[in-house]
Amino acid sequence: MKLHPVSLGVLALLSSLATHAGAQEVRRPYIVQLADQPAASYTGGVAGLPATKPAPGRLLSVTGSDVQAYLGYLERKQAGVLAKVAAARLTHKYQLVFNGFAALLTDSEVRALRKDAGVAAIAADEAREPVTNFTPSFLGLDRVPGGLWSQLGGKSTAGDG
């Protein structure tokens, strides 16, 4: 079979498009947990940064100088990890009760992050629907005749509006 020059050109173009499309990886949402403790549970251990975990019964003072210094430290550590996947699309950063970030990552970026000693865990971020069908019974709301649960329509209209 003899191919005309135009046919060869079309074939070459389609081949290059297919190769380019395969090279583009799909980005999916992930939550990346870093190894350092978040501010609310940091008990010390980093030179020059005192513990920020509040005493039992006390609140975390987010504006306190020790907490702000530790948050700056976490910011630098996160930036260092993110620099390894510079093309990733960052969606959220966490530092107070969880140390990490959420980002849209490719499979190769996930593999690169898994090799980083500063990364504790990586989990796919999946949308989930809240589902409960036993809370009224668990709380005893459906056992009170004339109670608020039945006044609001009970099971037949639960969740409406």
Side-chain angles (χ1 to χ4, degrees):
M1 174 168 104
K2 185 176 180 187
L3 292 176
H4 295 282
V6 173
S7 299
L8 286 172
V10 170
L11 184 61
L13 176 64
L14 291 176
S15 176
S16 72
L17 288 175
T19 302
H20 180 68
Q24 298 228 347
E25 292 186 79
V26 175
R27 293 194 173 278
R28 292 184 205 61
Y30 287 91
I31 297 176
V32 179
Q33 181 180 10
L34 301 185
D36 290 295
Q37 296 172 322
S41 58
Y42 172 62
T43 56
V46 177
L49 294 173
T52 56
K53 180 180 179 179
R58 304 289 308 225
L59 297 175
L60 178 68
S61 174
V62 178
T63 59
S65 61
D66 290 345
V67 173
Q68 286 297 308
Y70 187 66
L71 291 176
Y73 166 80
L74 292 179
E75 177 68 32
R76 289 186 299 279
K77 296 287 274 201
Q78 288 181 6
V81 171
L82 283 164
K84 295 177 181 166
V85 290
R89 263 192 294 156
L90 182 69
T91 58
H92 293 50
K93 285 185 173 184
Y94 311 104
Q95 297 174 330
L96 294 178
V97 295
F98 179 85
N99 176 28
F101 56 86
L104 297 174
L105 303 170
T106 64
D107 291 343
S108 62
E109 289 170 334
V110 170
R111 285 190 297 275
L113 288 177
R114 287 192 195 284
K115 294 176 186 174
D116 189 313
V119 174
I122 302 173
D125 188 11
E126 301 173 15
R128 298 179 188 252
E129 292 291 324
V131 178
T132 180
N133 56 5
F134 62 90
T135 302
S137 297
F138 176 77
L139 296 175
L141 299 177
D142 57 355
R143 289 184 286 230
V144 181
L148 183 60
W149 179 252
S150 60
Q151 290 176 31
L152 295 174
K155 192 177 258 185
S156 63
T157 60
D160 288 355

